Amino acid sequence: MTARIIDGKSIAADLRGKIAAEVARLQAAHQLVPGIAVVQVGDNPASSVYVKSKSKAVADAGMRAFDHKLPENVSEAELLTLIGLLNADPKVNGILVQLPLPAHIDAQNVVAAIAADKDVDGFHPLNAGRHATGLPGLVPCTPLGCVLLAKTVLPLLAGLEAVVIGRSNIVGKPLVQLLLAENATVTVAHSKTRDLPGVCRRADVLIAAIGRPEMVRGDWIKPGAIVIDVGINRVPGEAGKSRIVGDVAFAEAEKIAGAITPVPGGVGPMTIACLLLNTLRAACAQNGLSFPAL
Ligand code: NAD
């Protein structure tokens, strides 16, 4: 048996197409063009790549991107002043500050300064609290993308055993809330979990968000399981070049799993599509419009 490949690229393209159509409808019906401010501090090469692809996706969807590139040595106070201006600007419906920030800036202060209704990354403590208590709010993009991908295989996750490896605030923890909301039975595994392979073997849905190249082996996977690989790890490749692998040993896993996301081309594209979804959701909420079913 070979697993079905969950093609994140084409699923994300489909979602982006629906978002673009809705953006065009909003503009025609309400003269509203959703806008997102993307703030980058310094020249971290990986951040520059992410920011570029986010800004392109925003423009492709017919939304406005307001890019703010600040020098590495900008002070926290200056950054907070910019956030204050963006909070007050009605053309800006979403604000994203690319992480990581330089060490002299407290990222928690910055995230908390973003107006919660513009927090399209879903990292603000108010949104985390709303999500944890089942209130409406903005949900982090990567976990949202993971659940949407799993549901392309099985639209109903109710009653399934879901195992999440990783308990970060941006991926693992919000995944727990999202999977609970789908009525899955959720286990969170982490660096102190005993018998991790045994825990994983229980999973009908296994989501790996660890940051360790190919750690999850084929024999950790329950036959037929849905495997969602969040990991992005750069490892040495051929001819002195590097390549990207996930947290799951794909070649082994695809022989056992029922469906699996590739890396690259799985969760990554969905993360960006969900950023657009959150921006659209934020723009609708800020303008008193109901959010359309996409
Ligand atoms: P993190 O470092 O904040 O968290 C990693 C988690 O893995 C921790 O909770 C830790 O307990 C757990 N862990 C570490 N070693 C372990 C071990 N040996 N056994 C079991 N658990 C272990 O990372 P993060 O920000 O949640 O990101 C995780 C991975 O996902 C990274 O590779 C990151 O690059 C990737 N990522 C991808 C996207 C995307 O869009 N595809 C978005 C965010 C993060």
Side-chain angles (χ1 to χ4, degrees):
M1 189 180 83
T2 305
R4 161 176 161 186
I5 304 301
I6 305 172
D7 183 351
K9 235 173 154 175
S10 84
I11 296 165
D14 186 47
L15 179 56
R16 283 165 54 170
K18 289 179 182 155
I19 292 168
E22 184 54 26
V23 169
R25 195 194 66 77
L26 275 182
Q27 184 168 14
H30 303 282
Q31 295 74 52
L32 171 63
V33 182
I36 177 168
V38 180
V39 181
Q40 183 183 359
V41 179
D43 271 321
N44 178 321
S47 292
S48 298
V49 172
Y50 291 139
V51 164
K52 210 171 148 196
S53 55
K54 284 172 187 171
S55 298
K56 182 179 180 313
V58 168
D60 288 351
M63 299 184 185
R64 283 198 194 106
F66 305 98
D67 290 342
H68 294 267
K69 196 155 194 283
L70 304 178
E72 178 84 20
N73 63 357
V74 72
S75 69
E76 185 174 316
E78 287 170 294
L79 178 55
L80 292 176
T81 300
L82 172 63
I83 303 278
L85 293 172
L86 298 173
N87 283 342
D89 185 343
K91 294 190 295 304
V92 174
N93 304 111
I95 302 171
L96 180 155
V97 178
Q98 185 64 42
L99 302 177
L101 289 168
H104 67 277
I105 297 178
D106 183 335
Q108 277 183 340
N109 280 348
V110 174
V111 169
I114 297 172
D117 66 338
K118 296 190 177 187
D119 166 42
V120 284
D121 257 339
F123 296 162
H124 192 289
L126 200 64
N127 281 322
R130 293 181 77 85
H131 191 208
T133 50
L135 293 169
L138 291 160
V139 175
C141 305
T142 299
L144 185 57
C146 291
V147 172
L148 293 176
L149 287 175
K151 288 179 73 173
T152 63
V153 182
L154 275 183
L156 295 180
L157 306 180
L160 297 185
E161 292 271 351
V163 172
V164 177
I165 320 175
R167 56 178 161 183
S168 71
N169 287 337
I170 65 168
V171 191
K173 282 183 198 153
L175 260 173
V176 174
Q177 310 300 341
L178 284 167
L179 290 163
L180 281 176
E182 296 291 332
N183 295 310
T185 301
V186 190
T187 301
V188 190
H190 46 78
S191 52
K192 300 285 185 281
T193 296
R194 277 182 283 170
D195 185 22
L196 185 59
V199 172
C200 291
R201 274 193 285 269
R202 296 207 305 259
D204 302 304
V205 181
L206 178 63
I207 306 187
I210 317 164
R212 298 197 177 250
E214 302 184 320
M215 194 180 100
V216 176
R217 312 306 309 220
D219 64 0
W220 296 20
I221 293 168
K222 179 176 176 176
I226 299 172
V227 178
I228 308 288
D229 189 351
V230 184
I232 301 177
N233 308 290
R234 197 168 279 282
V235 296
E238 281 170 22
K241 291 194 176 153
S242 64
R243 64 191 178 100
I244 303 280
V245 298
D247 289 341
V248 178
F250 184 87
E252 295 174 15
E254 72 166 341
K255 296 192 183 105
I256 315 284
I260 184 168
T261 57
V263 177
V267 174
M270 270 314 262
T271 295
I272 293 187
C274 288
L275 176 69
L276 303 179
L277 193 63
N278 275 351
T279 306
L280 178 60
R281 184 169 277 149
C284 289
Q286 288 158 32
N287 288 279
L289 301 169
S290 58
F291 185 72
L294 292 178

